[in-house]
Amino acid sequence: MSEESSLDGSDWHHEGEVESWDSEDDLAVLMSQLCRVCGEASDDLVECFGQKGKEILLVEKIHTHLPIMVTEEDLLPVNVCSACVSKIEMCHEMVTNCLEADARMRNLLGFDLPAGYE
């Protein structure tokens, strides 16, 4: 199977109402190329449980900010494309900045910090 056909879905065939791949190997290759967040195929992926994913705390940020759970035993893709990694990082930074600003303002006004604030 060519890389191009695996990315554009041309290897799909229909059996009744169910779409399937020509082989389990084809499906495994496709799944390894899909981003867990956006579902798009990419050549620029970060492995959630790989060195870079661990360095940037990718799984923790996904679990904190997105309504999905990613595990090492997952049957769904465990890679995230660079575009989604950037969006997750921006989201994390915005939430962190917002919580820090809120804590500063509450502190200035002498308000108690809600549970969970540091």
Side-chain angles (χ1 to χ4, degrees):
M1 167 178 52
S2 74
E3 182 174 318
E4 181 178 321
S5 66
S6 70
L7 295 178
D8 70 9
S10 62
D11 289 334
W12 282 97
H13 62 84
H14 297 275
E15 295 174 0
E17 302 259 334
V18 178
E19 293 180 339
S20 64
W21 280 89
D22 290 333
S23 75
E24 287 184 27
D25 290 338
D26 291 344
L27 182 58
V29 168
L30 175 68
M31 293 298 278
S32 71
Q33 296 172 343
L34 292 179
C35 171
R36 176 61 176 269
V37 176
C38 69
E40 296 293 322
S42 175
D43 291 329
D44 189 16
L45 295 165
V46 174
E47 295 177 30
C48 290
F49 300 98
Q51 182 178 350
K52 182 175 180 182
K54 288 178 180 178
E55 286 174 7
I56 64 172
L57 304 174
L58 185 55
V59 172
E60 291 83 353
K61 291 172 183 173
I62 288 171
H63 292 171
T64 299
H65 304 297
L66 300 176
I68 62 172
M69 294 300 291
V70 180
T71 65
E72 289 188 70
E73 301 81 29
D74 223 314
L75 298 177
L76 297 173
V78 292
N79 301 311
V80 178
C81 71
S82 60
C84 286
V85 168
S86 295
K87 291 173 186 175
I88 291 167
E89 292 287 358
M90 286 182 4
C91 178
H92 181 73
E93 184 178 344
M94 182 177 166
V95 169
T96 300
N97 290 341
C98 177
L99 291 172
E100 289 171 356
D102 188 69
R104 282 193 311 273
M105 289 184 276
R106 288 175 183 278
N107 189 35
L108 260 169
L109 296 171
F111 297 161
D112 290 333
L113 293 179
Y117 273 58
E118 295 181 19

